[in-house]
mmCIF file of all heavy atoms in Angstrom:
data_model
loop_
_atom_site.group_PDB
_atom_site.id
_atom_site.type_symbol
_atom_site.label_atom_id
_atom_site.label_comp_id
_atom_site.label_asym_id
_atom_site.label_seq_id
_atom_site.Cartn_x
_atom_site.Cartn_y
_atom_site.Cartn_z
ATOM 1 N N THR A 1 94.360 89.369 83.544
ATOM 2 C CA THR A 1 94.314 89.078 82.136
ATOM 3 C C THR A 1 95.740 88.887 81.622
ATOM 4 O O THR A 1 96.519 89.823 81.736
ATOM 5 C CB THR A 1 93.553 90.156 81.327
ATOM 6 O OG1 THR A 1 92.233 90.234 82.029
ATOM 7 C CG2 THR A 1 93.416 89.715 79.938
ATOM 8 N N TYR A 2 95.967 87.791 80.899
ATOM 9 C CA TYR A 2 97.232 87.485 80.252
ATOM 10 C C TYR A 2 97.071 87.417 78.875
ATOM 11 O O TYR A 2 95.986 86.931 78.325
ATOM 12 C CB TYR A 2 97.840 86.117 80.794
ATOM 13 C CG TYR A 2 98.147 86.155 82.272
ATOM 14 C CD1 TYR A 2 97.210 85.748 83.224
ATOM 15 C CD2 TYR A 2 99.494 86.401 82.710
ATOM 16 C CE1 TYR A 2 97.607 85.758 84.639
ATOM 17 C CE2 TYR A 2 99.782 86.383 84.024
ATOM 18 C CZ TYR A 2 98.845 86.017 84.962
ATOM 19 O OH TYR A 2 99.143 86.041 86.281
ATOM 20 N N MET A 3 98.045 87.834 77.997
ATOM 21 C CA MET A 3 98.129 87.530 76.720
ATOM 22 C C MET A 3 98.648 86.076 76.490
ATOM 23 O O MET A 3 99.696 85.861 76.848
ATOM 24 C CB MET A 3 98.932 88.562 75.813
ATOM 25 C CG MET A 3 98.294 89.901 75.703
ATOM 26 S SD MET A 3 96.590 89.907 75.020
ATOM 27 C CE MET A 3 96.880 89.213 73.381
ATOM 28 N N VAL A 4 97.757 85.228 75.873
ATOM 29 C CA VAL A 4 98.126 83.836 75.808
ATOM 30 C C VAL A 4 98.353 83.492 74.314
ATOM 31 O O VAL A 4 97.591 83.951 73.430
ATOM 32 C CB VAL A 4 96.995 82.999 76.489
ATOM 33 C CG1 VAL A 4 97.235 81.547 76.256
ATOM 34 C CG2 VAL A 4 96.857 83.346 77.949
ATOM 35 N N ARG A 5 99.225 82.531 74.047
ATOM 36 C CA ARG A 5 99.522 82.108 72.679
ATOM 37 C C ARG A 5 99.452 80.526 72.708
ATOM 38 O O ARG A 5 99.925 79.860 73.571
ATOM 39 C CB ARG A 5 100.919 82.564 72.268
ATOM 40 C CG ARG A 5 101.130 82.442 70.885
ATOM 41 C CD ARG A 5 102.363 83.151 70.403
ATOM 42 N NE ARG A 5 103.191 83.763 71.448
ATOM 43 C CZ ARG A 5 104.317 83.190 71.921
ATOM 44 N NH1 ARG A 5 104.835 82.088 71.378
ATOM 45 N NH2 ARG A 5 105.008 83.809 72.830
ATOM 46 N N HIS A 6 98.830 80.026 71.634
ATOM 47 C CA HIS A 6 98.767 78.558 71.372
ATOM 48 C C HIS A 6 99.060 78.364 69.926
ATOM 49 O O HIS A 6 98.582 79.131 69.085
ATOM 50 C CB HIS A 6 97.343 78.031 71.806
ATOM 51 C CG HIS A 6 97.288 76.622 71.686
ATOM 52 N ND1 HIS A 6 96.816 75.966 70.499
ATOM 53 C CD2 HIS A 6 97.583 75.680 72.482
ATOM 54 C CE1 HIS A 6 96.842 74.618 70.684
ATOM 55 N NE2 HIS A 6 97.359 74.452 71.933
ATOM 56 N N SER A 7 99.731 77.269 69.633
ATOM 57 C CA SER A 7 100.171 77.130 68.269
ATOM 58 C C SER A 7 98.984 76.958 67.267
ATOM 59 O O SER A 7 99.149 77.386 66.119
ATOM 60 C CB SER A 7 101.030 75.773 68.133
ATOM 61 O OG SER A 7 100.283 74.679 68.741
ATOM 62 N N ALA A 8 97.921 76.423 67.705
ATOM 63 C CA ALA A 8 96.642 76.260 66.753
ATOM 64 C C ALA A 8 95.773 77.331 66.845
ATOM 65 O O ALA A 8 95.001 77.675 65.919
ATOM 66 C CB ALA A 8 96.053 74.910 67.033
ATOM 67 N N LEU A 9 95.569 77.994 68.129
ATOM 68 C CA LEU A 9 94.492 78.945 68.363
ATOM 69 C C LEU A 9 95.016 80.356 68.192
ATOM 70 O O LEU A 9 94.187 81.300 68.108
ATOM 71 C CB LEU A 9 94.015 78.796 69.726
ATOM 72 C CG LEU A 9 93.268 77.560 70.060
ATOM 73 C CD1 LEU A 9 92.814 77.342 71.539
ATOM 74 C CD2 LEU A 9 91.986 77.321 69.169
ATOM 75 N N GLY A 10 96.362 80.614 68.165
ATOM 76 C CA GLY A 10 96.782 81.937 67.975
ATOM 77 C C GLY A 10 96.950 82.655 69.329
ATOM 78 O O GLY A 10 97.053 82.024 70.371
ATOM 79 N N GLU A 11 96.832 83.964 69.292
ATOM 80 C CA GLU A 11 97.107 84.816 70.468
ATOM 81 C C GLU A 11 95.752 85.464 70.819
ATOM 82 O O GLU A 11 95.064 85.958 70.015
ATOM 83 C CB GLU A 11 98.168 85.869 70.217
ATOM 84 C CG GLU A 11 98.547 86.622 71.423
ATOM 85 C CD GLU A 11 99.703 87.588 71.150
ATOM 86 O OE1 GLU A 11 99.664 88.393 70.282
ATOM 87 O OE2 GLU A 11 100.692 87.468 71.941
ATOM 88 N N PHE A 12 95.476 85.530 72.203
ATOM 89 C CA PHE A 12 94.195 86.160 72.655
ATOM 90 C C PHE A 12 94.371 86.393 74.106
ATOM 91 O O PHE A 12 95.310 85.832 74.767
ATOM 92 C CB PHE A 12 93.015 85.147 72.493
ATOM 93 C CG PHE A 12 93.231 83.732 73.032
ATOM 94 C CD1 PHE A 12 92.861 83.405 74.284
ATOM 95 C CD2 PHE A 12 93.832 82.786 72.180
ATOM 96 C CE1 PHE A 12 93.060 82.100 74.753
ATOM 97 C CE2 PHE A 12 94.080 81.516 72.670
ATOM 98 C CZ PHE A 12 93.686 81.243 73.939
ATOM 99 N N ALA A 13 93.635 87.324 74.664
ATOM 100 C CA ALA A 13 93.572 87.677 76.120
ATOM 101 C C ALA A 13 92.685 86.646 76.867
ATOM 102 O O ALA A 13 91.703 86.225 76.422
ATOM 103 C CB ALA A 13 93.100 89.094 76.300
ATOM 104 N N LEU A 14 93.277 86.223 78.068
ATOM 105 C CA LEU A 14 92.668 85.223 78.871
ATOM 106 C C LEU A 14 92.819 85.700 80.331
ATOM 107 O O LEU A 14 93.804 85.878 80.827
ATOM 108 C CB LEU A 14 93.251 83.901 78.624
ATOM 109 C CG LEU A 14 92.618 82.693 79.253
ATOM 110 C CD1 LEU A 14 91.117 82.541 78.637
ATOM 111 C CD2 LEU A 14 93.432 81.476 78.908
ATOM 112 N N PHE A 15 91.564 85.780 81.032
ATOM 113 C CA PHE A 15 91.586 86.133 82.474
ATOM 114 C C PHE A 15 91.709 84.798 83.232
ATOM 115 O O PHE A 15 90.841 83.929 83.253
ATOM 116 C CB PHE A 15 90.262 86.887 82.825
ATOM 117 C CG PHE A 15 90.379 87.338 84.294
ATOM 118 C CD1 PHE A 15 91.077 88.522 84.588
ATOM 119 C CD2 PHE A 15 89.569 86.735 85.281
ATOM 120 C CE1 PHE A 15 91.061 88.975 85.911
ATOM 121 C CE2 PHE A 15 89.576 87.162 86.502
ATOM 122 C CZ PHE A 15 90.298 88.340 86.895
ATOM 123 N N LEU A 16 92.881 84.690 83.908
ATOM 124 C CA LEU A 16 93.169 83.466 84.720
ATOM 125 C C LEU A 16 93.100 83.705 86.195
ATOM 126 O O LEU A 16 93.656 84.680 86.614
ATOM 127 C CB LEU A 16 94.521 82.918 84.346
ATOM 128 C CG LEU A 16 94.761 82.342 82.906
ATOM 129 C CD1 LEU A 16 96.192 82.028 82.656
ATOM 130 C CD2 LEU A 16 93.839 81.190 82.673
ATOM 131 N N VAL A 17 92.503 82.822 86.876
ATOM 132 C CA VAL A 17 92.400 82.911 88.323
ATOM 133 C C VAL A 17 93.013 81.639 88.977
ATOM 134 O O VAL A 17 92.613 80.580 88.670
ATOM 135 C CB VAL A 17 90.887 82.994 88.804
ATOM 136 C CG1 VAL A 17 90.812 83.113 90.293
ATOM 137 C CG2 VAL A 17 90.253 84.239 88.105
ATOM 138 N N PRO A 18 93.976 81.772 89.924
ATOM 139 C CA PRO A 18 94.453 80.614 90.672
ATOM 140 C C PRO A 18 93.431 80.092 91.620
ATOM 141 O O PRO A 18 92.824 80.852 92.293
ATOM 142 C CB PRO A 18 95.689 81.135 91.292
ATOM 143 C CG PRO A 18 95.466 82.567 91.552
ATOM 144 C CD PRO A 18 94.600 83.034 90.344
ATOM 145 N N ILE A 19 93.098 78.780 91.481
ATOM 146 C CA ILE A 19 92.059 78.239 92.338
ATOM 147 C C ILE A 19 92.500 77.107 93.177
ATOM 148 O O ILE A 19 91.787 76.665 94.116
ATOM 149 C CB ILE A 19 90.890 77.734 91.465
ATOM 150 C CG1 ILE A 19 91.257 76.692 90.474
ATOM 151 C CG2 ILE A 19 90.227 78.951 90.710
ATOM 152 C CD1 ILE A 19 90.199 75.938 89.830
ATOM 153 N N ALA A 20 93.678 76.490 92.882
ATOM 154 C CA ALA A 20 94.114 75.306 93.723
ATOM 155 C C ALA A 20 95.614 75.200 93.646
ATOM 156 O O ALA A 20 96.243 75.605 92.702
ATOM 157 C CB ALA A 20 93.407 74.099 93.299
ATOM 158 N N ARG A 21 96.162 74.447 94.600
ATOM 159 C CA ARG A 21 97.617 74.058 94.558
ATOM 160 C C ARG A 21 97.703 72.590 94.914
ATOM 161 O O ARG A 21 96.983 72.144 95.762
ATOM 162 C CB ARG A 21 98.388 74.852 95.527
ATOM 163 C CG ARG A 21 99.782 74.596 95.583
ATOM 164 C CD ARG A 21 100.614 75.447 96.503
ATOM 165 N NE ARG A 21 102.039 75.313 96.345
ATOM 166 C CZ ARG A 21 102.952 75.894 97.002
ATOM 167 N NH1 ARG A 21 102.665 76.711 97.893
ATOM 168 N NH2 ARG A 21 104.183 75.644 96.660
ATOM 169 N N ASP A 22 98.611 71.976 94.226
ATOM 170 C CA ASP A 22 98.908 70.550 94.537
ATOM 171 C C ASP A 22 100.356 70.379 94.538
ATOM 172 O O ASP A 22 101.164 71.356 94.407
ATOM 173 C CB ASP A 22 98.094 69.609 93.733
ATOM 174 C CG ASP A 22 98.482 69.685 92.269
ATOM 175 O OD1 ASP A 22 99.650 70.257 91.862
ATOM 176 O OD2 ASP A 22 97.820 69.137 91.389
ATOM 177 N N ALA A 23 100.801 69.044 94.740
ATOM 178 C CA ALA A 23 102.290 68.796 94.695
ATOM 179 C C ALA A 23 102.951 69.193 93.534
ATOM 180 O O ALA A 23 104.240 69.461 93.642
ATOM 181 C CB ALA A 23 102.452 67.330 94.997
ATOM 182 N N THR A 24 102.357 69.401 92.374
ATOM 183 C CA THR A 24 103.107 69.699 91.135
ATOM 184 C C THR A 24 102.932 71.166 90.632
ATOM 185 O O THR A 24 103.559 71.468 89.649
ATOM 186 C CB THR A 24 102.721 68.801 89.933
ATOM 187 O OG1 THR A 24 101.333 69.093 89.685
ATOM 188 C CG2 THR A 24 102.932 67.393 90.362
ATOM 189 N N GLY A 25 102.218 71.952 91.432
ATOM 190 C CA GLY A 25 102.079 73.385 91.075
ATOM 191 C C GLY A 25 100.736 73.967 91.339
ATOM 192 O O GLY A 25 100.012 73.477 92.274
ATOM 193 N N PHE A 26 100.283 74.884 90.477
ATOM 194 C CA PHE A 26 99.047 75.593 90.680
ATOM 195 C C PHE A 26 97.989 75.261 89.547
ATOM 196 O O PHE A 26 98.457 75.030 88.358
ATOM 197 C CB PHE A 26 99.230 77.044 90.869
ATOM 198 C CG PHE A 26 99.965 77.477 92.091
ATOM 199 C CD1 PHE A 26 101.249 77.544 92.144
ATOM 200 C CD2 PHE A 26 99.185 77.717 93.258
ATOM 201 C CE1 PHE A 26 101.929 77.984 93.348
ATOM 202 C CE2 PHE A 26 99.814 78.071 94.437
ATOM 203 C CZ PHE A 26 101.214 78.163 94.490
ATOM 204 N N ILE A 27 96.702 75.348 89.836
ATOM 205 C CA ILE A 27 95.677 75.141 88.911
ATOM 206 C C ILE A 27 95.059 76.545 88.692
ATOM 207 O O ILE A 27 94.760 77.270 89.690
ATOM 208 C CB ILE A 27 94.572 74.146 89.293
ATOM 209 C CG1 ILE A 27 95.155 72.800 89.616
ATOM 210 C CG2 ILE A 27 93.478 74.037 88.318
ATOM 211 C CD1 ILE A 27 95.781 72.110 88.348
ATOM 212 N N TYR A 28 94.786 76.986 87.445
ATOM 213 C CA TYR A 28 94.199 78.264 87.197
ATOM 214 C C TYR A 28 92.948 78.041 86.366
ATOM 215 O O TYR A 28 92.894 77.054 85.516
ATOM 216 C CB TYR A 28 95.177 79.091 86.327
ATOM 217 C CG TYR A 28 96.440 79.409 87.137
ATOM 218 C CD1 TYR A 28 97.450 78.638 87.230
ATOM 219 C CD2 TYR A 28 96.521 80.766 87.722
ATOM 220 C CE1 TYR A 28 98.650 78.915 87.934
ATOM 221 C CE2 TYR A 28 97.639 81.058 88.387
ATOM 222 C CZ TYR A 28 98.704 80.187 88.482
ATOM 223 O OH TYR A 28 99.803 80.493 89.219
ATOM 224 N N GLN A 29 91.949 78.891 86.508
ATOM 225 C CA GLN A 29 90.677 78.669 85.820
ATOM 226 C C GLN A 29 90.414 79.938 84.970
ATOM 227 O O GLN A 29 90.673 81.059 85.423
ATOM 228 C CB GLN A 29 89.519 78.527 86.909
ATOM 229 C CG GLN A 29 88.204 78.247 86.188
ATOM 230 C CD GLN A 29 87.081 78.087 87.191
ATOM 231 O OE1 GLN A 29 87.054 78.689 88.206
ATOM 232 N NE2 GLN A 29 86.216 77.192 86.852
ATOM 233 N N ALA A 30 89.802 79.708 83.802
ATOM 234 C CA ALA A 30 89.255 80.776 82.975
ATOM 235 C C ALA A 30 87.797 80.332 82.724
ATOM 236 O O ALA A 30 87.521 79.232 82.329
ATOM 237 C CB ALA A 30 89.991 80.822 81.585
ATOM 238 N N VAL A 31 86.922 81.325 82.941
ATOM 239 C CA VAL A 31 85.512 81.108 82.744
ATOM 240 C C VAL A 31 84.984 81.965 81.605
ATOM 241 O O VAL A 31 85.225 83.161 81.578
ATOM 242 C CB VAL A 31 84.655 81.353 83.994
ATOM 243 C CG1 VAL A 31 83.195 81.316 83.799
ATOM 244 C CG2 VAL A 31 85.133 80.502 85.174
ATOM 245 N N PHE A 32 84.271 81.361 80.664
ATOM 246 C CA PHE A 32 83.685 82.071 79.537
ATOM 247 C C PHE A 32 82.150 81.893 79.656
ATOM 248 O O PHE A 32 81.618 80.903 79.724
ATOM 249 C CB PHE A 32 84.070 81.351 78.228
ATOM 250 C CG PHE A 32 85.563 81.442 77.899
ATOM 251 C CD1 PHE A 32 86.433 80.623 78.495
ATOM 252 C CD2 PHE A 32 85.958 82.313 76.944
ATOM 253 C CE1 PHE A 32 87.792 80.718 78.198
ATOM 254 C CE2 PHE A 32 87.347 82.431 76.649
ATOM 255 C CZ PHE A 32 88.192 81.602 77.306
#
């Protein structure tokens, strides 16, 4: 769980899971 901030949504906790890697980095998923 990371504390995440977005300019329009504010700050909230988000559980992120790394699910894939490609040439430009990693993909993370959050499920609600």
Side-chain angles (χ1 to χ4, degrees):
T1 301
Y2 294 89
M3 285 308 296
V4 174
R5 191 169 6 104
H6 184 266
S7 59
L9 297 174
E11 188 173 55
F12 52 93
L14 191 60
F15 187 73
L16 293 173
V17 177
I19 61 166
R21 182 178 189 180
D22 62 17
T24 64
F26 290 91
I27 303 293
Y28 296 80
Q29 183 178 39
V31 175
F32 293 77

